[in-house]
């Protein structure tokens, strides 16, 4: 079925239409759940309709996915890497169309939408190399004629539940690794970005079909909380990766733990940038602007707290206030706009509620603090002067709201950085080695991402991504994150004729 608006016709290049079935089950497109409409956050007008999955669809898909795992895990890892390489190439051929879809449905500006798709392509490249390096260790044995080593084997099926703010990149972090590690993937995309879920799944499905592999290796559902709860409860899924709020993540973790499954959590952030008195002010100001305003403040790594040394407080703040007034707000698909809409009308309402809470707790609005009167979900980027001890500062307001506060000493700044429940990303701007290495060390930042002279956001895929405390403790993407998608066996082989026991035990 064709699209009503001409500007949406490019979606047909991604295999989408005005009416779509929202589940990829056992190699087929189907769905028997409710019919929903997905909207453009820039004007709240309908883009297309999607039929969501039902619990019957889930059970059929999960049964096939679980069965397909036996085939996929026995394929040699480098062969699995070749499939992921082809997925990356298929994404390259659709990069600009797919990036445009991400911007249209999520609301981030077009360069960020294209960048998100590029992130999956980068993950595919990373995973291809990894497929030849799933190495275990050789461990010296204390017993003669014994060999001890580690083997890494697939888990079977990995469940991935993603959020609207990065509707496809987070799937890439997880699925690229899970697939080369020998696991099938069952994915529930965000309910408000179903077209992104469908478009990415169609690309993966095409590669599997081209290689005569079972479609059930990659199973996907558009749906609501019932599908997510089913994944959390399903004993056939040894590992569940969840991205979302700390509140919901805790519930997912408790449900998965009750069945002795494993959880990989990427939850809320409340990230701070510290600017010391010796910092490069221009570099810091540019970094804060991107970190606080990019993606309309809807990244988990968005800078929400800016800690300024008292001696440079006014200078930095004055620069930011000038820059904020020059930010172009508008349709994220139009060139030159830096701030798109919040994702939903509810997000806009939450922004308004957050501003009221800020004012009631003594916060002073220095710029912004209001919505943009329009059909879309636009708000003005906001800077607030507030005490670091205010309750609202401890929470994550998912919007372009920056809390600014003053400090005197490095220790005071570190204490403020570490004072919130979340522990995702952090950054300091300084030129002094003694400050840098204290910040990076055991009595510095308590976050999973600790930066120097760069923003809190925009992480590369080569490092492990994730945070501590209420951020959940999970690690995805690079480094040795792949180990979470496999089970480790410590193996000992006796190739002699005697039976010496460890620790020198003599048992008869």
């Amino acid at each position: 079925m064709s699209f009503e608006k001409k500007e949406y016709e490019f979606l047909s290049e991604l295999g989408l239409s005005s009416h779509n079935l929202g589940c990829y089950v056992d190699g087929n497109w189907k769905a028997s759940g409710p019919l929903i409409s997905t909207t453009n956050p820039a004007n709240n007008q309908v883009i297309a309709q999607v039929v969501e999955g039902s619990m019957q669809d889930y059970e059929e898909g999960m049964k096939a996915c679980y069965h397909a795992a036996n085939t996929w895990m026995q394929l040699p890892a480098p062969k699995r890497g070749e499939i992921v390489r082809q997925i990356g190439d298929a994404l390259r051929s659709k990069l600009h169309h797919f990036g445009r879809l991400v911007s249209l449905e999520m609301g981030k500006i077009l360069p960020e939408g294209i960048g998100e798709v590029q992130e999956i392509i980068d993950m595919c490249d990373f995973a291809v190399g990894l497929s030849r390096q799933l190495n275990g260790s050789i461990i010296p044995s204390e017993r003669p004629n014994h060999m001890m080593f580690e083997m890494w084997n697939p888990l079977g099926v990995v469940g991935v539940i993603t959020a609207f703010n990065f509707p496809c990149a987070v799937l890439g972090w997880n699925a690229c690794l899970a697939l080369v590690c020998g696991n099938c993937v069952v994915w529930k995309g965000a309910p408000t970005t179903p077209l992104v879920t469908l478009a990415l799944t169609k690309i993966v499905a095409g590669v599997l079909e081209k290689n005569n592999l079972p479609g059930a290796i990659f199973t996907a559902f558009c749906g609501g909380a019932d599908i997510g709860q089913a994944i959390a409860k399903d004993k056939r899924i040894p590992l569940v990766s969840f991205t979302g709020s700390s509140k919901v993540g805790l519930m997912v973790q408790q449900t998965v733990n009750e069945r002795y499954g494993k959880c990989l959590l990427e939850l809320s952030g409340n990230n701070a940038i510290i600017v010391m008195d010796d910092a490069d002010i221009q570099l810091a100001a540019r970094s804060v602007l991107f970190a606080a305003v990019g993606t309309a403040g809807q990244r988990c790594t968005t800078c929400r707290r800016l800690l300024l040394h008292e001696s440079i407080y006014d200078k930095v703040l004055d620069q930011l206030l000038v820059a904020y007034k020059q930010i172009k707000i508008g349709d994220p698909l139009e060139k030159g706009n830096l701030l798109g809409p919040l994702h939903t009308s509810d997000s806009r309402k939450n922004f308004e509620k957050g501003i009221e809470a800020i004012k009631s707790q003594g916060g002073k609005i220095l710029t912004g603090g209001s919505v943009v009167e329009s059909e879309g979900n636009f708000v003005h980027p906001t800077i607030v002067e507030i005490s670091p001890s205010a309750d609202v500062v401890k929470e994550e307001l998912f919007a372009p709201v920056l809390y600014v506060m003053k400090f005197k000493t490095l220790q005071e700044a570190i204490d403020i950085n570490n004072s919130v429940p979340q522990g995702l990303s952090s950054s300091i701007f300084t030129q002094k080695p003694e400050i840098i290495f204290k910040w990076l060390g055991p009595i510095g930042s308590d976050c999973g991402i600790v930066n120097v002279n760069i923003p809190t956001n925009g992480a590369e895929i080569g490092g492990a991504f994730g945070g501590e405390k209420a951020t959940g403790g999970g690690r995805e993407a690079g480094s040795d994150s792949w180990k979470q998608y496999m089970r480790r066996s410590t193996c000992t082989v006796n190739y002699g004729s005697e039976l010496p026991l460890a620790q020198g035990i003599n048992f008869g």
Side-chain angles (χ1 to χ4, degrees), residues 101-131:
L101 167 59
V102 172
S103 295
L104 172 68
E105 192 173 35
M106 185 274 152
K108 61 182 64 177
I109 62 173
L110 185 56
E112 289 186 296
I114 293 172
E116 177 167 352
V117 180
Q118 183 63 48
E119 196 164 347
I120 314 176
I121 295 170
D122 294 344
M123 276 302 307
C124 288
D125 290 346
F126 178 87
V128 173
L130 178 65
S131 69

Side-chain angles (χ1 to χ4, degrees), residues 277-300:
D277 55 353
D278 70 315
D280 181 329
I281 301 299
Q282 294 291 337
L283 183 65
R286 287 170 52 208
S287 297
V288 170
L289 188 66
F290 173 58
V293 177
T295 325
Q298 296 170 110
R299 292 186 181 223
C300 51

Side-chain angles (χ1 to χ4, degrees), residues 161-165 242-253 264-269 300 396-398 422 469-472:
I161 303 172
T162 56
F164 74 85
N165 59 334
F242 173 85
T243 300
S245 70
S246 294
K247 180 181 178 181
V248 177
L250 182 60
M251 292 189 289
V252 170
Q253 183 180 49
L264 202 168
L265 300 176
E266 296 289 353
L267 310 177
S268 303
C300 51
E396 182 186 46
L397 178 57
F398 226 51
Q422 308 85 356
K469 302 189 297 188
T471 303

Side-chain angles (χ1 to χ4, degrees), residues 65-83:
C65 188
Y66 186 72
H67 179 74
N70 192 51
T71 299
W72 182 245
M73 67 173 57
Q74 294 187 70
L75 202 67
K79 299 294 185 185
R80 301 192 296 255
E82 167 59 17
I83 300 303

Side-chain angles (χ1 to χ4, degrees), residues 377-389:
N377 306 320
F378 298 95
V379 301
H380 290 288
T382 301
I383 298 178
V384 176
E385 204 169 43
I386 196 168
S387 166
S389 60

Side-chain angles (χ1 to χ4, degrees), residues 482-498:
W482 64 271
K483 293 179 178 178
Q484 296 176 98
Y485 302 87
M486 305 195 81
R487 58 178 177 85
R488 171 169 32 194
S489 301
T490 301
C491 310
T492 306
V493 176
N494 178 3
Y495 55 88
S497 57
E498 302 295 325

Side-chain angles (χ1 to χ4, degrees), residues 14-242:
L14 297 169
L16 302 172
S17 68
S18 60
H19 185 89
N20 305 273
L21 297 175
C23 302
Y24 187 63
V25 169
D26 197 14
N28 298 295
W29 288 98
K30 63 183 300 183
S32 57
L35 178 68
I36 65 158
S37 295
T38 180
T39 57
N40 177 356
N43 56 26
N44 284 309
Q45 294 178 6
V46 173
I47 305 169
Q49 292 182 316
V50 176
V51 182
E52 291 187 324
S54 65
M55 292 312 300
Q56 180 181 347
D57 297 324
Y58 173 79
E59 184 52 37
E60 182 181 341
M62 190 58 225
K63 184 177 180 181
C65 188
Y66 186 72
H67 179 74
N70 192 51
T71 299
W72 182 245
M73 67 173 57
Q74 294 187 70
L75 202 67
K79 299 294 185 185
R80 301 192 296 255
E82 167 59 17
I83 300 303
V84 173
R85 186 194 66 78
Q86 292 180 33
I87 293 171
D89 283 350
L91 280 164
R92 280 185 179 90
S93 71
K94 304 284 187 181
L95 174 61
H96 290 279
H97 284 318
F98 200 174
R100 192 171 182 84
L101 167 59
V102 172
S103 295
L104 172 68
E105 192 173 35
M106 185 274 152
K108 61 182 64 177
I109 62 173
L110 185 56
E112 289 186 296
I114 293 172
E116 177 167 352
V117 180
Q118 183 63 48
E119 196 164 347
I120 314 176
I121 295 170
D122 294 344
M123 276 302 307
C124 288
D125 290 346
F126 178 87
V128 173
L130 178 65
S131 69
R132 294 181 182 271
Q133 297 177 350
L134 301 172
N135 304 326
S137 300
I138 302 295
I139 305 163
S141 174
E142 66 183 69
R143 291 171 280 187
N145 299 324
H146 282 60
M147 170 67 75
M148 185 161 58
F149 55 93
E150 290 178 342
M151 284 280 292
W152 293 90
N153 285 303
L155 294 171
V157 178
V158 171
V160 185
I161 303 172
T162 56
F164 74 85
N165 59 334
F166 280 86
C168 58
V170 175
L171 183 277
W173 296 350
N174 285 275
C176 293
L177 297 187
L179 288 170
V180 297
C181 288
N183 303 296
C184 290
V185 172
V186 55
W187 178 29
K188 190 195 90 68
T192 51
T193 53
L195 298 183
V196 172
T197 301
L198 298 182
L200 183 52
T201 301
K202 285 177 182 290
I203 287 172
V204 176
V207 172
L208 293 175
E209 183 176 345
K210 177 183 172 183
N211 287 273
N212 297 313
L213 288 165
I217 289 169
F218 190 91
T219 300
F221 300 101
C222 294
D226 56 339
I227 301 290
Q229 289 168 358
I231 290 173
K233 292 177 180 178
D234 202 322
K235 293 182 179 179
R236 293 168 293 188
I237 305 177
L239 173 66
V240 175
S241 169
F242 173 85

